[in-house]
Amino acid sequence: MAIKTLTAATLAAMISLPLASSDAQQGAWIHGEGFRSCAEYLNALKGPHGSAQTMTGTDGTKYWSEGTQYIAWIEGYISGFNEFFASDPVRGLHQVQIDGPAIDAFVRQYCQAHPESKVVEAVGFLLKSQEGQ
């Protein structure tokens, strides 16, 4: 139960506060690909929308592509958002239910228009676009 409370508190901070910047201004701490720029996201993508790409090393170990890591981060962020609001009597009724290719298409379009923005900002606009659906 303590882990769920900590996760919910952390997610609430990520959603409700402005993003932290590299010069440590006040805001939510975004870990991983979400804090990288939209330009970096677009440069990492290869293949069709929402496709996972792996490569296998000489030792048989599978490695995810950089683009796939972004998609996994985005889907995890959306899942965390849904989990956080699942018990909310209003927002819980409107879970964000969008598939990987549609998520990727939305974020790509946003990032093409706003290459200096952070990936988490693009996902925030995606979440807002899904409100009430």
Side-chain angles (χ1 to χ4, degrees):
M1 194 59 110
I3 293 175
K4 187 171 184 172
T5 303
L6 176 61
T7 303
T10 303
L11 186 59
M14 289 174 18
I15 293 169
S16 65
L17 295 174
L19 298 176
S21 67
S22 59
D23 62 0
Q25 292 178 345
Q26 186 175 359
W29 182 66
I30 303 299
H31 179 72
E33 282 72 19
F35 195 67
R36 295 175 71 187
S37 74
C38 276
E40 290 174 290
Y41 173 76
L42 294 172
N43 288 332
L45 299 176
K46 294 169 182 51
H49 294 305
S51 64
Q53 297 181 4
T54 63
M55 65 180 201
T56 305
T58 56
D59 63 352
T61 302
K62 288 198 176 220
Y63 298 93
W64 293 102
S65 71
E66 187 179 13
T68 300
Q69 291 177 29
Y70 277 100
I71 297 299
W73 186 94
I74 292 167
E75 289 179 342
Y77 190 90
I78 292 170
S79 296
F81 178 88
N82 283 341
E83 173 63 25
F84 180 74
F85 287 111
S87 63
D88 183 292
V90 176
R91 285 190 133 167
L93 299 174
H94 304 290
Q95 295 285 300
V96 175
Q97 297 179 11
I98 183 170
D99 65 14
I103 292 167
D104 185 29
F106 184 99
V107 176
R108 283 189 203 216
Q109 183 177 11
Y110 180 91
C111 285
Q112 287 168 346
H114 307 93
E116 299 301 317
S117 292
K118 303 292 184 203
V119 171
V120 71
E121 294 171 59
V123 179
F125 275 93
L126 169 65
L127 294 172
K128 287 180 184 177
S129 77
Q130 296 297 301
E131 284 185 279
Q133 293 188 21

